[in-house]
Amino acid sequence: MITLQGRTSSSPPAPKHPRAQPRRRRRSLNELARTDPLSTIITVTIDVVAGSSGVALGAWWGFSTEPTSPPVWLCALYTPLVVATLAFRKAYARRLNRRFLDEIGPVLTATALAAILLLTLMVFVNAPGHIGGVIAKMWVCVVVLMLLFRLIRAEYQRSLRRRDLLLSPVIVVGNGRVAYQIVERLRSSPQHGLKVVGMMDAEPPWAGMDSDGVTPPVPYLGSPDDVDRIIRDTGAEGIVIAFSLTQDQLLTPVVRIAHRHGLRVWVVPRMFDSVGENVRVEHVGGLPLLAVPHTNPQGWQFTLGKHVGDRVIAAVGLLLISPVFLTLMLLVRLSSPGPILFRQPRVGRDGQVFDCLKFRSMRAPLPTDADFEVASGSAPGGVEGVDRRTAIGKIMRRTSLDELPQLLNVVKGDMSLVGPRPERPEFVALFDAQIRRYGERHRVKAGVTGWAQVHGLRGQTSIADRAEWDNYYIENWSWALDMKILMLTVLAVMRRAE
């Protein structure tokens, strides 16, 4: 049971810290590079270099093909306009786990708006030459180079974080499963750029009562009364406030002291299950209200985008890959006796059972549920029981080519291209009884790929984590998110899989 904020605590009132001063210790280059202002300066510098190079290349391209060209000083305004547009749209604000795919939309939008503004300016001053052609060529070059530079930066930053570099130390304020879940997620996901150095709460953490049945892997640092000392001692650069035994009004000084030290502060909302990416903050007087949008799986967007669009895309995809599809059918037939397609009952939308199709990757007899055991809390998957995979079956498993027949399920209407991965009926009944919110994933059709799978939750991985990611996908669904998942799937299948 999660302990909510606002409960009466026996702790004494937190003393005020009117004279708390920021830390004065000398900061290393690693610390400077991961915090503002240097972090933002690095990002802006990368954009300026990429934009200036793109403008120079595009101007050379345009000037070489046009008899007359606009003044160079006008062309030089393009990069400042792009950077200013990105800054105005708050694209330089630091966010957790921003992927390169998340950079594409803001860059395309900013460069297009800057091109329109520059074209308007050139028309206004009556600049000579074929200004439309020159600006179009500059736009192409700037987009390509800016995205390329950002890709290099993202990959380099990701590699550093995997080696425990560029990780900002943070403190988690809270006590209970939600706080422990944050600690575990940040520990297992260095791409967020955060490293938990300890927990802080009015009472010490539970002993051996976290979600995994073990003691939290970070030390207990003290109560919120000691926040000033804890920040100084740990060198923390951020604070995450989760559910706590401390009264809400006593946590306000924690936020103020953290801001005084220049720390970033995150707060886990009470109804975090209902707070999605598109939530808006509105105000009634001085009171903030979270306006929570609703994604309707029965709405026209789902009908058009998922039920109709997926079938069209799957049909076209099958036509394009038909040579590969037919070749795999032949190889499966020659690999061993048995059917080409493996059919297995799975649970889809609204609990309806359908036959999920795969290329057969094992020799007969095929394994049954009695041949293996699933680890507690994990989903079934991978190689189950005795390994009877054929040679072509091993290749198909590693490359996920055995999943291609599920495009037929999409055309038929049993599945979508993107959605929660379907599970067998016997496991659905078990997980629905054991896993919180598991049954809510059946609000939509099952998918060939999903938000959980592109985050590494394949095979025998945590079913609770899968349910969390799947419900996040449903509540934040958009066509853009589907395209993002499909692109991430292409990257994921390039890596070796079981």
Side-chain angles (χ1 to χ4, degrees):
M1 181 177 178
I2 297 174
T3 304
L4 298 180
Q5 296 177 6
R7 292 185 58 182
T8 303
S9 172
S10 58
S11 304
K16 299 183 180 297
H17 298 275
R19 296 182 180 178
Q21 298 295 325
R23 290 171 281 130
R24 299 286 186 181
R25 66 183 180 84
R26 185 181 182 86
R27 308 183 75 186
S28 66
L29 181 61
N30 180 38
E31 290 176 309
L32 293 173
R34 69 187 181 222
T35 56
D36 285 329
L38 186 57
S39 175
T40 301
I41 291 174
I42 291 174
T43 304
V44 173
T45 301
I46 290 173
D47 284 348
V48 170
V49 172
S52 300
S53 301
V55 167
L57 182 60
W60 172 81
W61 182 14
F63 292 173
S64 64
T65 57
E66 300 293 338
T68 58
S69 303
V72 174
W73 70 269
L74 279 175
C75 297
L77 292 177
Y78 187 52
T79 298
L81 286 173
V82 172
V83 173
T85 303
L86 287 169
F88 179 77
R89 294 175 60 85
K90 299 182 179 180
Y92 291 118
R94 295 165 62 199
R95 294 187 179 134
L96 296 180
N97 194 25
R98 175 182 283 172
R99 297 175 180 271
F100 169 70
L101 291 177
D102 299 324
E103 310 277 2
I104 296 177
V107 168
L108 290 177
T109 302
T111 52
L113 288 174
I116 294 172
L117 291 173
L118 184 59
L119 180 62
T120 303
L121 178 60
M122 287 187 175
V123 171
F124 183 77
V125 300
N126 197 24
H130 188 246
I131 56 178
V134 173
I135 291 178
K137 292 169 183 175
M138 287 196 305
W139 174 76
V140 170
C141 294
V142 169
V143 167
V144 171
L145 288 181
M146 190 170 285
L147 289 177
L148 177 61
F149 277 47
R150 287 195 170 213
L151 175 61
I152 294 173
R153 178 188 184 276
E155 289 302 315
Y156 181 63
Q157 178 177 271
R158 195 175 185 85
S159 67
L160 289 177
R161 287 176 172 175
R162 285 173 178 169
R163 291 180 285 165
D164 286 339
L165 300 174
L166 287 181
L167 296 181
S168 298
V170 297
I171 301 167
V172 173
V173 179
N175 196 341
R177 298 191 184 281
V178 174
Y180 293 177
Q181 186 177 9
I182 292 173
V183 173
E184 180 58 31
R185 288 292 166 82
L186 294 180
R187 186 180 63 168
S188 61
S189 305
Q191 66 268 21
H192 291 100
L194 303 179
K195 180 179 181 180
V196 181
V197 295
M199 299 182 70
M200 181 170 59
D201 196 60
E203 296 182 6
W206 302 342
M209 292 184 64
D210 67 337
S211 57
D212 297 324
V214 297
T215 303
V218 294
Y220 170 65
L221 302 175
S223 73
D225 299 347
D226 304 318
V227 60
D228 187 75
R229 173 190 59 80
I230 292 172
I231 291 174
R232 293 175 185 273
D233 292 346
T234 61
E237 297 171 3
I239 285 183
V240 181
I241 299 180
F243 292 171
S244 172
L245 294 174
T246 308
Q247 294 179 358
D248 291 350
Q249 62 267 28
L250 300 183
L251 291 176
T252 301
V254 173
V255 176
R256 291 175 179 168
I257 293 173
H259 283 158
R260 192 176 302 144
H261 282 271
L263 273 63
R264 290 192 290 169
V265 178
W266 297 270
V267 178
V268 179
R270 288 181 183 272
M271 299 180 63
F272 57 89
D273 288 334
S274 303
V275 178
E277 279 192 356
N278 298 319
V279 67
R280 301 187 316 277
V281 179
E282 300 176 352
H283 289 82
V284 175
L287 296 177
L289 301 179
L290 294 181
V292 181
H294 172 58
T295 299
N296 182 13
Q298 310 292 336
W300 68 268
Q301 295 97 330
F302 260 80
T303 301
L304 182 62
K306 304 288 287 179
H307 304 168
V308 178
D310 280 359
R311 294 187 183 190
V312 173
I313 295 174
V316 173
L318 280 171
L319 181 62
L320 294 176
I321 66 170
S322 56
V324 176
F325 201 94
L326 294 174
T327 301
L328 290 175
M329 291 178 64
L330 178 61
L331 292 175
V332 172
R333 170 63 73 186
L334 296 176
S335 65
S336 64
I340 294 175
L341 296 180
F342 173 62
R343 301 170 182 268
Q344 190 174 57
R346 297 291 178 109
V347 176
R349 184 180 182 183
D350 297 328
Q352 297 296 316
V353 179
F354 67 96
D355 285 335
C356 183
L357 302 177
K358 292 185 179 183
F359 281 125
R360 180 176 58 83
S361 60
M362 292 188 177
R363 298 180 181 88
L366 298 180
T368 64
D369 294 338
D371 295 332
F372 67 96
E373 293 183 1
V374 178
S376 177
S378 297
V383 178
E384 300 172 344
V386 178
D387 188 355
R388 300 189 182 95
R389 289 178 298 175
T390 61
I392 185 61
K394 292 181 180 179
I395 296 174
M396 290 192 300
R397 286 287 190 97
R398 285 197 299 267
T399 57
S400 296
L401 290 174
D402 62 321
E403 310 278 357
L404 287 181
Q406 289 168 33
L407 293 176
L408 296 172
N409 286 119
V410 177
V411 173
K412 186 180 177 182
D414 294 328
M415 298 178 66
S416 293
L417 289 175
V418 180
R421 288 293 293 158
E423 193 49 79
R424 280 165 274 187
E426 58 272 19
F427 288 109
V428 167
L430 176 65
F431 295 150
D432 199 17
Q434 294 180 343
I435 305 300
R436 176 175 170 271
R437 299 188 69 204
Y438 179 81
E440 295 181 23
R441 66 203 299 272
H442 297 127
R443 290 175 286 171
V444 299
K445 290 182 181 180
V448 178
T449 185
W451 191 229
Q453 283 63 47
V454 298
H455 285 87
L457 295 172
R458 305 177 63 194
Q460 295 192 22
T461 51
S462 170
I463 193 65
D465 289 348
R466 288 194 188 190
E468 179 183 335
W469 286 108
D470 289 336
N471 285 312
Y472 170 91
Y473 164 76
I474 296 171
E475 289 153 9
N476 295 276
W477 175 84
S478 67
W479 291 322
L481 181 57
D482 274 1
M483 294 301 104
K484 178 179 178 179
I485 292 174
L486 291 174
M487 287 187 282
L488 288 173
T489 300
V490 174
L491 298 177
V493 297
M494 292 181 181
R495 306 186 186 101
R496 182 166 179 157
E498 179 62 24

